[in-house]
Amino acid sequence: MRFQTRLAFRVSQIKNGTPFPSQFQASRLFCHHHHSEQHQKWSSSFGIAFDIDGVILRGRVPVGGSPQALKRLYGENGGGIPESQRALELTDLLGVKILPSQVLQGHSPFKNLLKRYENQLIVATGKGEPAYVMSEYGFKKVLSVDEYASLFENIDPVAQYKKWTTKQVSNRTNRTLTENMKPRYNVASEAVKAVFVVSDPVDWGRDIQVLCDILRSGGLPGQENGHQPPLYFAADDLEYQAAFPSKRLGMGAFRMALESIFNRIHHDALKYTTFGKPNPPVFQNAEAVLNQLQLFCQTEANLKECGNPGSFPLNTLYMIGDNPSVDVKGAQQAGNSWFSILTRTGVFRGEHNDAEFPADMVVNTVEEAVEYILQRERDRECISRGNFES
């Protein structure tokens, strides 16, 4: 499951076993921070990180009782689009209000590279609107691979056979030229300083060709070999579960294809940086967002919305996912505060736990996972208080 979209929530109150949330977070990852108070403060709090593809959604269809599970937590979490747009999409699909601040996508960490590349020419590729995403993050000089390729005659030797893209790129290029009278950048002399794979590429053949041109020429396609510009991937999942019954090839598969070809045609091996699960920084970032929501709810202005959560630390962070090699492995690497729950609604379909990366708990659906978490936390709280009433 891809961690490419992530969300975080914070639940702040529970009455009669029903959580009343305030917001908090998590390729897709969706986090829910939970803190509860009735008349007495709970002595612990916990966060929940939801993977989206295969756990919350399959394609655009909710699965595993996800709307019901999230509504319990709220009192009522793929990439290539800005967090604000993804939040609206999830709100519509799940029937639960999702705020942009609660959404963390695989490409969200690219924001941290703004200082380095803010005024440098960069190229972004992937489905959706990768250049728009990077522009929203503050990058000043960014071109999509579609627009970049359109500025080089014959860079894609089979472009004439791609009628579905030729018309689209032509219209976009004509509109750009009409509005600006000339290309925005002189790509023949201004080198690309970095390449960002924001989401799953659509035209693998064209993208591999153009990226190889950029990367082996030092950022000036058509030139002799030069120093490779940095290359960044928002995720590295080999496969993920979408609407089709069988698993689909993910960004990791594209990376492998690009790397294999580049290493055959260039004297130096491809260098790249990947984000997304199971890399520990992803889980560290999710935990940081949850803690930020904790602080948000502690401010006087937000006490009405969040209840009075106090200053309890997050004792447990739950990772609900469907892919043992990314969700469970990532949670295991992130530290003892993480508790992994594996669902059978996506990549994992086994009768028993995964042999290589066994989760702390295996359930059928996300609804069962949420029920397990709430019951587990109620039991732990009762034990801590010496009160065993439900």
Side-chain angles (χ1 to χ4, degrees):
M1 204 68 318
R2 298 193 279 184
F3 203 64
Q4 212 215 34
T5 298
R6 304 163 202 168
L7 289 148
F9 304 98
R10 170 184 159 70
V11 185
S12 52
Q13 290 183 310
I14 290 185
K15 289 185 178 180
N16 301 322
T18 302
F20 292 78
S22 52
Q23 285 81 334
F24 164 58
Q25 164 105 79
S27 209
R28 253 157 236 158
L29 181 72
F30 177 57
C31 291
H32 178 95
H33 176 198
H34 194 111
H35 196 332
S36 179
E37 166 183 317
Q38 188 171 1
H39 297 295
Q40 298 176 339
K41 294 179 181 177
W42 277 29
S43 60
S44 64
S45 59
F46 59 94
I48 307 175
F50 298 84
D51 186 22
I52 292 183
D53 290 339
V55 175
I56 301 293
L57 302 173
R58 286 187 65 175
R60 292 180 55 84
V61 179
V63 295
S66 57
Q68 295 86 345
L70 296 181
K71 285 175 182 177
R72 286 200 65 188
L73 294 175
Y74 273 90
E76 308 257 88
N77 92 338
I81 57 176
E83 283 76 5
S84 58
Q85 189 174 335
R86 183 60 164 157
L88 291 174
E89 179 183 275
L90 290 168
T91 295
D92 180 60
L93 292 174
L94 300 173
V96 174
K97 177 64 176 179
I98 307 297
L99 301 178
S101 60
Q102 297 173 281
V103 179
L104 211 93
Q105 304 194 87
H107 47 70
S108 296
F110 290 167
K111 300 174 188 177
N112 300 327
L113 297 169
L114 179 61
K115 184 176 180 180
R116 180 175 178 183
Y117 298 111
E118 181 177 3
N119 296 302
Q120 306 273 3
L121 178 61
I122 62 173
V123 168
T125 187
K127 66 183 180 183
E129 303 175 274
Y132 176 61
V133 169
M134 299 302 287
S135 296
E136 285 286 291
Y137 290 164
F139 294 89
K140 300 293 194 302
K141 300 175 69 174
V142 54
L143 290 174
S144 69
V145 75
D146 290 345
E147 185 175 356
Y148 188 78
S150 72
L151 300 176
F152 292 86
E153 187 176 2
N154 300 321
I155 196 170
D156 181 1
V158 295
Q160 61 181 311
Y161 302 104
K162 302 174 183 178
K163 303 303 182 183
W164 63 280
T165 59
T166 302
K167 182 177 180 180
Q168 181 184 52
V169 172
S170 176
N171 288 341
R172 179 165 50 250
T173 303
N174 289 337
R175 183 168 60 253
T176 300
L177 293 175
T178 299
E179 293 172 352
N180 302 299
M181 300 306 294
K182 62 181 180 179
R184 289 181 290 165
Y185 311 112
N186 184 355
V187 296
S189 61
E190 186 169 6
V192 174
K193 298 301 183 181
V195 175
F196 294 83
V197 184
V198 176
S199 51
D200 295 326
V202 176
D203 187 344
W204 281 34
R206 190 277 310 277
D207 285 10
I208 288 176
Q209 176 66 76
V210 174
L211 294 190
C212 281
D213 288 331
I214 294 172
L215 296 170
R216 66 175 173 167
S217 68
L220 291 169
Q223 303 298 314
E224 295 297 324
N225 289 340
H227 182 69
Q228 181 204 313
L231 171 63
Y232 301 95
F233 291 88
D236 202 37
D237 296 39
L238 176 62
E239 295 181 304
Y240 69 102
Q241 186 64 61
F244 195 73
S246 300
K247 291 174 283 187
R248 303 291 84 192
L249 297 177
M251 197 181 300
F254 175 80
R255 191 265 304 161
M256 293 170 65
L258 173 62
E259 183 177 17
S260 177
I261 293 171
F262 184 89
N263 290 350
R264 291 291 297 271
I265 64 176
H266 193 57
H267 50 75
D268 292 327
L270 182 68
K271 299 180 178 64
Y272 57 86
T273 301
T274 61
F275 295 88
K277 299 174 297 182
N279 296 319
V282 174
F283 290 83
Q284 294 165 3
N285 191 30
E287 185 170 356
V289 174
L290 286 166
N291 284 317
Q292 289 171 3
L293 286 173
Q294 168 92 319
L295 292 174
F296 170 83
C297 285
Q298 288 171 14
T299 64
E300 183 174 355
N302 299 305
L303 290 180
K304 183 176 180 180
E305 176 185 350
C306 301
N308 182 15
S311 58
F312 303 125
L314 297 177
N315 292 342
T316 306
L317 297 168
Y318 293 94
M319 177 66 229
I320 304 177
D322 71 307
N323 192 329
S325 66
V326 293
D327 300 317
V328 176
K329 179 181 179 181
Q332 291 173 346
Q333 293 178 159
N336 294 332
S337 60
W338 286 86
F339 185 100
S340 58
I341 300 180
L342 190 58
T343 71
R344 295 187 175 94
T345 50
V347 172
F348 178 75
R349 302 293 179 86
E351 181 178 355
H352 305 292
N353 209 335
D354 184 71
E356 186 175 5
F357 301 107
D360 295 305
M361 183 69 185
V362 178
V363 297
N364 290 319
T365 67
V366 67
E367 189 173 20
E368 290 182 15
V370 169
E371 175 58 37
Y372 170 80
I373 291 170
L374 296 180
Q375 186 59 57
R376 183 173 187 260
E377 291 298 321
R378 283 195 295 265
D379 291 346
R380 293 172 69 179
E381 185 61 24
C382 288
I383 291 172
S384 69
R385 291 183 181 180
N387 175 11
F388 295 94
E389 294 182 5
S390 59

